[in-house]
Amino acid sequence: VSTNVRLACGPEVVELPLDRLLPTRRLDDSVRKSVKYRCIEASVRELGVIEPLVVFPKPDADGRYMLLDGHARLLILKDL
């Protein structure tokens, strides 16, 4: 059994403009009305982003990044 583990993503934090992120899925309007979404929104408003968005560089996309995790946080950040 191999004990080697490779990280799929780099551990570094990169600051990016929100318009450089390409969501990989779409959230419907019911998500914005959910209790969980409102809790995340309140947390971001009061504390900032605690858990960073997970992105991956998209080749041949003019410096854009695919959003892999954090779609609700992205919507909240755009609204704020």
Side-chain angles (χ1 to χ4, degrees):
V1 175
S2 175
T3 58
N4 295 333
V5 177
R6 278 187 41 201
L7 290 175
C9 300
E12 65 275 350
V13 173
V14 179
E15 289 188 31
L16 301 166
L18 297 179
D19 64 352
R20 303 308 263 166
L21 304 180
L22 302 169
T24 54
R25 64 184 174 117
R26 186 167 180 203
L27 301 179
D28 61 43
D29 290 337
S30 66
V31 172
R32 288 181 187 248
K33 298 174 185 171
S34 70
V35 172
K36 183 176 181 178
Y37 183 90
R38 290 194 306 264
C39 287
I40 296 169
E41 183 179 34
S43 173
V44 170
R45 188 181 299 114
E46 295 297 320
L47 304 172
V49 176
I50 302 298
E51 185 178 344
L53 305 170
V54 178
V55 298
F56 188 81
K58 183 160 175 59
D60 303 324
D62 194 32
R64 295 183 187 268
Y65 288 73
M66 293 183 297
L67 179 62
L68 303 178
D69 183 53
H71 289 79
R73 285 171 276 152
L74 177 62
L75 285 177
I76 292 164
L77 289 169
K78 285 182 174 183
D79 286 345
L80 294 176

